[in-house]
Amino acid sequence: MTIATGLVVANIYYNQPLLGDIAHTFHVSNGTAGRISMATQLGYAAGMFFIAPLADMFERKKLMLIAFMAVIIALLAAAIAPNIHLLVLASFLVGVASLTPQLLVPMAAHLAKPEERGKKIGVVMSGLLIGILASRTLSGFIGKQFGWNAMFFIAAGLMVIMGLLVYIFLPKVEPDYKGNYKELMRSLVHLFMNEPQLRFAALRGALCFACFMAFWTTLVFLLKENFNLGSDAAGSFGLVGAFGAIAAGLMGRLSDKMDAFKLSFFTLSLILVSFVVFIFSGHSIIGLVIGVIILDMGVQATHISNQSIIFALSAEARNRINTIYMVSYFIGGSLGTLLVSSLWGNYHWMGVCITGIALSLIALVVHLFNHRSMQNKATSV
């Protein structure tokens, strides 16, 4: 489950170190190329919203195998796209079909013992985070050596292998929900309106991921502009960010033993500190490395804390709860990408840093204003 989560989620992030090369191929601006990353994230959010809730209604393994077939087709379409518009469309479909991680994480929570749920989520999430970060390293190297198209062909091959492994090894988990699709989707509204902890975690997660994507989308532009480095250098920063995966496993264990809200104040503060570091690191590789470590630890640890909160709410609705949270999460990421892509032309790196500081401050304010009421709610439950 951990390996599948990492390899599938990587599909969403392969394009980020390649945006400069793609812009050059199709003779478009960096801001226009940034729409590819935004489209992929929006597609992921759409897949989670309209398809992932079906895992509470249909057998999950079968749903995953269908998703694998769809993502293989979408990746091949991206590889052979003749223009930027079709590449944006194919990227959206890649995002839609890459929903398997959002079926596996709730499955891990479902199969785990309650006292070990945070730990098990942390293990699977470590695979997801390594996939996110290592994908940039791999695609940066492949793009430099063989061209950006090659990465999508390779990704399609990896999905063929992973689909076979899921078919062979993954257990079947029968659904608990007995209604129809229309009622299933209506229940998302009910869950959102009646679970304040879910709303709180969703907003906090969206703001954090907006910060995360603001940095990673524009890093390749900064490295080219200030350091004259290419996609391979941008991808290598993914290895630096692997510290976030270590933090995920640690925070999963800590969330089983201590107050997740208190833990989150520290992790949210790390995000703010990282962008302060970035302000002074526009011409410093060492500064960027330090900032990446702090940023990834803060974002990923907060994400684990959020998931520990939401997966304790309702066992029979975990896929739908995860859908609400993750759709909010990736909408936040896509808006962060759109915002900094628009600002880059006029404000460059300083615009990215100010955006990150503003969003992380808002996340801290949201956390502090809701902290007491969320604790009281958790105590009453």
Side-chain angles (χ1 to χ4, degrees):
M1 292 170 71
T2 302
I3 294 169
T5 298
L7 286 177
V8 176
V9 80
N11 295 326
I12 304 168
Y13 300 95
Y14 286 136
N15 58 45
Q16 289 182 0
L18 305 174
L19 294 176
D21 296 337
I22 292 171
H24 178 74
T25 297
F26 293 118
H27 307 290
V28 297
S29 68
N30 288 334
T32 299
R35 294 175 187 171
I36 295 168
S37 179
M38 182 188 72
T40 311
Q41 294 157 50
L42 287 176
Y44 195 46
M48 284 187 290
F49 184 76
F50 292 106
I51 302 174
L54 291 172
D56 283 337
M57 190 173 172
F58 296 107
E59 202 281 309
R60 297 174 194 182
K61 182 175 177 179
K62 185 180 295 184
L63 191 60
M64 290 180 203
L65 293 174
I66 295 171
F68 272 110
M69 290 187 285
V71 78
I72 290 166
I73 295 171
L75 286 165
L76 292 174
I80 62 175
N83 58 59
I84 190 70
H85 304 294
L86 289 178
L87 180 55
V88 168
L89 175 60
S91 298
F92 177 83
L93 296 176
V94 167
V96 171
S98 295
L99 68 126
T100 297
Q102 302 312 320
L103 306 180
L104 288 170
V105 174
M107 183 184 287
H110 175 80
L111 296 174
K113 297 177 182 179
E115 65 272 17
E116 294 185 340
R117 185 169 293 127
K119 177 182 176 181
K120 300 302 184 184
I121 293 172
V123 171
V124 177
M125 283 299 298
S126 292
L128 183 142
L129 302 177
I130 290 171
I132 291 174
L133 299 165
S135 64
R136 297 185 177 94
T137 304
L138 177 62
S139 66
F141 174 78
I142 295 296
K144 182 73 171 181
Q145 301 299 322
F146 306 104
W148 63 266
N149 309 72
M151 188 62 250
F152 294 108
F153 282 117
I154 293 171
L158 289 173
M159 290 302 97
V160 172
I161 296 170
M162 203 63 247
L164 291 173
L165 292 176
V166 165
Y167 175 75
I168 294 169
F169 291 110
L170 203 68
K172 288 188 175 182
V173 179
E174 296 298 332
D176 298 318
Y177 186 79
K178 303 301 180 183
N180 57 40
Y181 182 72
K182 184 176 180 180
E183 293 168 342
L184 185 77
M185 297 306 290
R186 282 181 176 174
S187 71
L188 295 176
V189 178
H190 176 79
L191 287 167
F192 182 79
M193 297 302 296
N194 289 278
E195 295 288 358
Q197 293 185 68
L198 175 57
R199 295 196 301 271
F200 169 61
L203 177 56
R204 196 171 65 177
L207 289 166
C208 290
F209 201 51
C211 294
F212 185 82
M213 294 307 297
F215 170 79
W216 283 105
T217 300
T218 53
L219 175 63
V220 65
F221 305 150
L222 174 72
L223 293 177
K224 183 64 177 178
E225 186 174 276
N226 288 4
F227 302 93
N228 197 31
L229 297 173
S231 59
D232 54 339
S236 67
F237 273 83
L239 294 177
V240 176
F243 284 93
I246 298 173
L250 174 62
M251 292 303 165
R253 289 172 174 82
L254 286 176
S255 65
D256 287 330
K257 300 176 181 179
M258 65 179 293
D259 186 347
F261 298 99
K262 292 180 180 178
L263 190 61
S264 295
F265 178 79
F266 171 71
T267 60
L268 288 167
S269 299
L270 289 177
I271 302 172
L272 174 61
V273 170
S274 71
F275 279 97
V276 174
V277 172
F278 288 143
I279 283 183
F280 301 100
S281 305
H283 294 274
S284 170
I285 292 293
I286 294 176
L288 290 174
V289 168
I290 293 171
V292 166
I293 293 171
I294 298 172
L295 173 66
D296 277 24
M297 288 184 67
V299 171
Q300 310 306 352
T302 305
H303 184 46
I304 293 294
S305 175
N306 286 337
Q307 289 189 309
S308 296
I309 293 168
I310 65 173
F311 286 142
L313 297 177
S314 175
E316 67 275 9
R318 283 201 177 104
N319 281 282
R320 282 167 286 161
I321 286 171
N322 188 60
T323 290
I324 294 168
Y325 172 73
M326 290 305 301
V327 167
S328 303
Y329 197 74
F330 274 83
I331 288 175
S334 62
L335 291 176
T337 298
L338 176 63
L339 183 59
V340 294
S341 296
S342 302
L343 292 173
W344 182 265
N346 293 323
Y347 301 102
H348 297 271
W349 187 240
M350 184 57 67
V352 175
C353 295
I354 296 300
T355 299
I357 289 173
L359 292 173
S360 56
L361 280 173
I362 294 171
L364 274 168
V365 170
V366 167
H367 176 81
L368 292 172
F369 270 84
N370 288 274
H371 185 81
R372 188 177 300 278
S373 62
M374 290 300 98
Q375 280 188 308
N376 292 341
K377 175 70 175 179
T379 302
S380 65
V381 172

PDB file of all heavy atoms in Angstrom, residues 253-273:
ATOM      1  N   ARG A 253       3.212   8.926  14.910  1.00  0.00           N
ATOM      2  CA  ARG A 253       3.370   8.297  16.218  1.00  0.00           C
ATOM      3  C   ARG A 253       3.018   9.258  17.347  1.00  0.00           C
ATOM      4  O   ARG A 253       2.339   8.885  18.315  1.00  0.00           O
ATOM      5  CB  ARG A 253       4.805   7.794  16.383  1.00  0.00           C
ATOM      6  CG  ARG A 253       5.118   6.578  15.508  1.00  0.00           C
ATOM      7  CD  ARG A 253       6.607   6.236  15.543  1.00  0.00           C
ATOM      8  NE  ARG A 253       6.887   5.001  14.828  1.00  0.00           N
ATOM      9  CZ  ARG A 253       7.042   4.919  13.504  1.00  0.00           C
ATOM     10  NH1 ARG A 253       6.929   6.009  12.764  1.00  0.00           N
ATOM     11  NH2 ARG A 253       7.290   3.754  12.929  1.00  0.00           N
ATOM     12  N   LEU A 254       3.469  10.511  17.220  1.00  0.00           N
ATOM     13  CA  LEU A 254       3.186  11.494  18.271  1.00  0.00           C
ATOM     14  C   LEU A 254       1.689  11.795  18.374  1.00  0.00           C
ATOM     15  O   LEU A 254       1.174  12.016  19.473  1.00  0.00           O
ATOM     16  CB  LEU A 254       3.959  12.791  17.992  1.00  0.00           C
ATOM     17  CG  LEU A 254       5.463  12.765  18.258  1.00  0.00           C
ATOM     18  CD1 LEU A 254       6.101  14.088  17.843  1.00  0.00           C
ATOM     19  CD2 LEU A 254       5.760  12.458  19.715  1.00  0.00           C
ATOM     20  N   SER A 255       0.995  11.789  17.218  1.00  0.00           N
ATOM     21  CA  SER A 255      -0.431  12.122  17.234  1.00  0.00           C
ATOM     22  C   SER A 255      -1.259  11.063  17.953  1.00  0.00           C
ATOM     23  O   SER A 255      -2.391  11.331  18.359  1.00  0.00           O
ATOM     24  CB  SER A 255      -0.948  12.316  15.795  1.00  0.00           C
ATOM     25  OG  SER A 255      -0.884  11.101  15.077  1.00  0.00           O
ATOM     26  N   ASP A 256      -0.716   9.840  18.089  1.00  0.00           N
ATOM     27  CA  ASP A 256      -1.391   8.807  18.871  1.00  0.00           C
ATOM     28  C   ASP A 256      -1.248   9.056  20.371  1.00  0.00           C
ATOM     29  O   ASP A 256      -1.988   8.491  21.174  1.00  0.00           O
ATOM     30  CB  ASP A 256      -0.802   7.424  18.554  1.00  0.00           C
ATOM     31  CG  ASP A 256      -1.229   6.918  17.170  1.00  0.00           C
ATOM     32  OD1 ASP A 256      -2.329   7.274  16.730  1.00  0.00           O
ATOM     33  OD2 ASP A 256      -0.444   6.179  16.553  1.00  0.00           O
ATOM     34  N   LYS A 257      -0.285   9.896  20.767  1.00  0.00           N
ATOM     35  CA  LYS A 257       0.070  10.026  22.171  1.00  0.00           C
ATOM     36  C   LYS A 257      -0.185  11.414  22.752  1.00  0.00           C
ATOM     37  O   LYS A 257      -0.191  11.584  23.969  1.00  0.00           O
ATOM     38  CB  LYS A 257       1.551   9.678  22.359  1.00  0.00           C
ATOM     39  CG  LYS A 257       1.898   8.251  21.918  1.00  0.00           C
ATOM     40  CD  LYS A 257       3.394   7.989  22.042  1.00  0.00           C
ATOM     41  CE  LYS A 257       3.745   6.583  21.584  1.00  0.00           C
ATOM     42  NZ  LYS A 257       5.207   6.316  21.667  1.00  0.00           N
ATOM     43  N   MET A 258      -0.342  12.434  21.898  1.00  0.00           N
ATOM     44  CA  MET A 258      -0.508  13.785  22.426  1.00  0.00           C
ATOM     45  C   MET A 258      -1.557  14.560  21.645  1.00  0.00           C
ATOM     46  O   MET A 258      -2.068  14.087  20.621  1.00  0.00           O
ATOM     47  CB  MET A 258       0.829  14.541  22.400  1.00  0.00           C
ATOM     48  CG  MET A 258       1.399  14.803  21.022  1.00  0.00           C
ATOM     49  SD  MET A 258       2.957  15.738  21.062  1.00  0.00           S
ATOM     50  CE  MET A 258       2.414  17.338  21.678  1.00  0.00           C
ATOM     51  N   ASP A 259      -1.894  15.731  22.134  1.00  0.00           N
ATOM     52  CA  ASP A 259      -2.917  16.578  21.532  1.00  0.00           C
ATOM     53  C   ASP A 259      -2.470  17.044  20.151  1.00  0.00           C
ATOM     54  O   ASP A 259      -1.478  17.769  20.013  1.00  0.00           O
ATOM     55  CB  ASP A 259      -3.160  17.775  22.445  1.00  0.00           C
ATOM     56  CG  ASP A 259      -4.315  18.654  21.968  1.00  0.00           C
ATOM     57  OD1 ASP A 259      -4.759  18.477  20.832  1.00  0.00           O
ATOM     58  OD2 ASP A 259      -4.756  19.502  22.758  1.00  0.00           O
ATOM     59  N   ALA A 260      -3.209  16.637  19.105  1.00  0.00           N
ATOM     60  CA  ALA A 260      -2.840  16.976  17.738  1.00  0.00           C
ATOM     61  C   ALA A 260      -2.907  18.477  17.482  1.00  0.00           C
ATOM     62  O   ALA A 260      -2.167  19.004  16.650  1.00  0.00           O
ATOM     63  CB  ALA A 260      -3.757  16.246  16.750  1.00  0.00           C
ATOM     64  N   PHE A 261      -3.778  19.189  18.216  1.00  0.00           N
ATOM     65  CA  PHE A 261      -3.902  20.631  17.999  1.00  0.00           C
ATOM     66  C   PHE A 261      -2.677  21.386  18.521  1.00  0.00           C
ATOM     67  O   PHE A 261      -2.195  22.319  17.893  1.00  0.00           O
ATOM     68  CB  PHE A 261      -5.180  21.147  18.661  1.00  0.00           C
ATOM     69  CG  PHE A 261      -6.422  20.537  18.087  1.00  0.00           C
ATOM     70  CD1 PHE A 261      -7.047  19.496  18.734  1.00  0.00           C
ATOM     71  CD2 PHE A 261      -6.947  20.975  16.885  1.00  0.00           C
ATOM     72  CE1 PHE A 261      -8.185  18.920  18.210  1.00  0.00           C
ATOM     73  CE2 PHE A 261      -8.085  20.400  16.348  1.00  0.00           C
ATOM     74  CZ  PHE A 261      -8.702  19.359  17.014  1.00  0.00           C
ATOM     75  N   LYS A 262      -2.176  20.948  19.675  1.00  0.00           N
ATOM     76  CA  LYS A 262      -0.956  21.560  20.208  1.00  0.00           C
ATOM     77  C   LYS A 262       0.236  21.268  19.301  1.00  0.00           C
ATOM     78  O   LYS A 262       1.077  22.133  19.053  1.00  0.00           O
ATOM     79  CB  LYS A 262      -0.688  21.051  21.624  1.00  0.00           C
ATOM     80  CG  LYS A 262      -1.692  21.514  22.660  1.00  0.00           C
ATOM     81  CD  LYS A 262      -1.351  20.958  24.034  1.00  0.00           C
ATOM     82  CE  LYS A 262      -2.363  21.438  25.077  1.00  0.00           C
ATOM     83  NZ  LYS A 262      -2.073  20.867  26.420  1.00  0.00           N
ATOM     84  N   LEU A 263       0.285  20.044  18.820  1.00  0.00           N
ATOM     85  CA  LEU A 263       1.370  19.654  17.929  1.00  0.00           C
ATOM     86  C   LEU A 263       1.350  20.504  16.653  1.00  0.00           C
ATOM     87  O   LEU A 263       2.393  20.898  16.118  1.00  0.00           O
ATOM     88  CB  LEU A 263       1.221  18.174  17.575  1.00  0.00           C
ATOM     89  CG  LEU A 263       2.367  17.483  16.845  1.00  0.00           C
ATOM     90  CD1 LEU A 263       3.639  17.506  17.670  1.00  0.00           C
ATOM     91  CD2 LEU A 263       1.967  16.048  16.515  1.00  0.00           C
ATOM     92  N   SER A 264       0.159  20.823  16.188  1.00  0.00           N
ATOM     93  CA  SER A 264       0.019  21.563  14.931  1.00  0.00           C
ATOM     94  C   SER A 264       0.473  23.007  15.033  1.00  0.00           C
ATOM     95  O   SER A 264       0.864  23.603  14.025  1.00  0.00           O
ATOM     96  CB  SER A 264      -1.435  21.526  14.452  1.00  0.00           C
ATOM     97  OG  SER A 264      -1.811  20.217  14.130  1.00  0.00           O
ATOM     98  N   PHE A 265       0.393  23.609  16.218  1.00  0.00           N
ATOM     99  CA  PHE A 265       0.865  24.987  16.342  1.00  0.00           C
ATOM    100  C   PHE A 265       2.348  25.062  15.997  1.00  0.00           C
ATOM    101  O   PHE A 265       2.790  25.980  15.299  1.00  0.00           O
ATOM    102  CB  PHE A 265       0.629  25.521  17.762  1.00  0.00           C
ATOM    103  CG  PHE A 265       1.148  26.918  17.951  1.00  0.00           C
ATOM    104  CD1 PHE A 265       0.428  28.004  17.486  1.00  0.00           C
ATOM    105  CD2 PHE A 265       2.363  27.149  18.582  1.00  0.00           C
ATOM    106  CE1 PHE A 265       0.907  29.302  17.637  1.00  0.00           C
ATOM    107  CE2 PHE A 265       2.852  28.437  18.745  1.00  0.00           C
ATOM    108  CZ  PHE A 265       2.121  29.520  18.267  1.00  0.00           C
ATOM    109  N   PHE A 266       3.110  24.102  16.468  1.00  0.00           N
ATOM    110  CA  PHE A 266       4.539  24.063  16.164  1.00  0.00           C
ATOM    111  C   PHE A 266       4.773  23.823  14.676  1.00  0.00           C
ATOM    112  O   PHE A 266       5.598  24.499  14.047  1.00  0.00           O
ATOM    113  CB  PHE A 266       5.211  22.966  16.992  1.00  0.00           C
ATOM    114  CG  PHE A 266       6.634  22.703  16.601  1.00  0.00           C
ATOM    115  CD1 PHE A 266       7.641  23.621  16.874  1.00  0.00           C
ATOM    116  CD2 PHE A 266       6.967  21.536  15.929  1.00  0.00           C
ATOM    117  CE1 PHE A 266       8.958  23.375  16.501  1.00  0.00           C
ATOM    118  CE2 PHE A 266       8.272  21.273  15.559  1.00  0.00           C
ATOM    119  CZ  PHE A 266       9.275  22.201  15.834  1.00  0.00           C
ATOM    120  N   THR A 267       4.051  22.879  14.081  1.00  0.00           N
ATOM    121  CA  THR A 267       4.284  22.546  12.672  1.00  0.00           C
ATOM    122  C   THR A 267       3.856  23.685  11.746  1.00  0.00           C
ATOM    123  O   THR A 267       4.500  23.937  10.728  1.00  0.00           O
ATOM    124  CB  THR A 267       3.553  21.247  12.294  1.00  0.00           C
ATOM    125  OG1 THR A 267       2.140  21.393  12.503  1.00  0.00           O
ATOM    126  CG2 THR A 267       4.049  20.086  13.142  1.00  0.00           C
ATOM    127  N   LEU A 268       2.786  24.392  12.109  1.00  0.00           N
ATOM    128  CA  LEU A 268       2.371  25.552  11.310  1.00  0.00           C
ATOM    129  C   LEU A 268       3.405  26.672  11.401  1.00  0.00           C
ATOM    130  O   LEU A 268       3.662  27.376  10.415  1.00  0.00           O
ATOM    131  CB  LEU A 268       1.013  26.064  11.797  1.00  0.00           C
ATOM    132  CG  LEU A 268      -0.203  25.201  11.462  1.00  0.00           C
ATOM    133  CD1 LEU A 268      -1.411  25.653  12.263  1.00  0.00           C
ATOM    134  CD2 LEU A 268      -0.505  25.228   9.972  1.00  0.00           C
ATOM    135  N   SER A 269       4.006  26.832  12.560  1.00  0.00           N
ATOM    136  CA  SER A 269       5.036  27.856  12.726  1.00  0.00           C
ATOM    137  C   SER A 269       6.247  27.575  11.844  1.00  0.00           C
ATOM    138  O   SER A 269       6.911  28.501  11.354  1.00  0.00           O
ATOM    139  CB  SER A 269       5.465  27.936  14.193  1.00  0.00           C
ATOM    140  OG  SER A 269       4.375  28.289  15.025  1.00  0.00           O
ATOM    141  N   LEU A 270       6.541  26.289  11.613  1.00  0.00           N
ATOM    142  CA  LEU A 270       7.659  25.929  10.748  1.00  0.00           C
ATOM    143  C   LEU A 270       7.449  26.453   9.323  1.00  0.00           C
ATOM    144  O   LEU A 270       8.396  26.895   8.662  1.00  0.00           O
ATOM    145  CB  LEU A 270       7.834  24.406  10.707  1.00  0.00           C
ATOM    146  CG  LEU A 270       8.382  23.729  11.974  1.00  0.00           C
ATOM    147  CD1 LEU A 270       8.428  22.220  11.774  1.00  0.00           C
ATOM    148  CD2 LEU A 270       9.764  24.266  12.317  1.00  0.00           C
ATOM    149  N   ILE A 271       6.215  26.416   8.848  1.00  0.00           N
ATOM    150  CA  ILE A 271       5.924  26.898   7.487  1.00  0.00           C
ATOM    151  C   ILE A 271       6.213  28.387   7.378  1.00  0.00           C
ATOM    152  O   ILE A 271       6.831  28.856   6.418  1.00  0.00           O
ATOM    153  CB  ILE A 271       4.460  26.587   7.109  1.00  0.00           C
ATOM    154  CG1 ILE A 271       4.189  25.088   7.205  1.00  0.00           C
ATOM    155  CG2 ILE A 271       4.148  27.101   5.701  1.00  0.00           C
ATOM    156  CD1 ILE A 271       2.735  24.703   7.040  1.00  0.00           C
ATOM    157  N   LEU A 272       5.766  29.144   8.372  1.00  0.00           N
ATOM    158  CA  LEU A 272       6.030  30.588   8.389  1.00  0.00           C
ATOM    159  C   LEU A 272       7.534  30.857   8.403  1.00  0.00           C
ATOM    160  O   LEU A 272       8.033  31.687   7.633  1.00  0.00           O
ATOM    161  CB  LEU A 272       5.371  31.209   9.614  1.00  0.00           C
ATOM    162  CG  LEU A 272       5.656  32.693   9.880  1.00  0.00           C
ATOM    163  CD1 LEU A 272       5.177  33.549   8.708  1.00  0.00           C
ATOM    164  CD2 LEU A 272       4.996  33.133  11.182  1.00  0.00           C
ATOM    165  N   VAL A 273       8.266  30.145   9.250  1.00  0.00           N
ATOM    166  CA  VAL A 273       9.714  30.338   9.346  1.00  0.00           C
ATOM    167  C   VAL A 273      10.394  30.035   8.017  1.00  0.00           C
ATOM    168  O   VAL A 273      11.325  30.738   7.593  1.00  0.00           O
ATOM    169  CB  VAL A 273      10.296  29.448  10.463  1.00  0.00           C
ATOM    170  CG1 VAL A 273      11.821  29.434  10.420  1.00  0.00           C
ATOM    171  CG2 VAL A 273       9.817  29.928  11.823  1.00  0.00           C
TER     172      VAL A 273
END
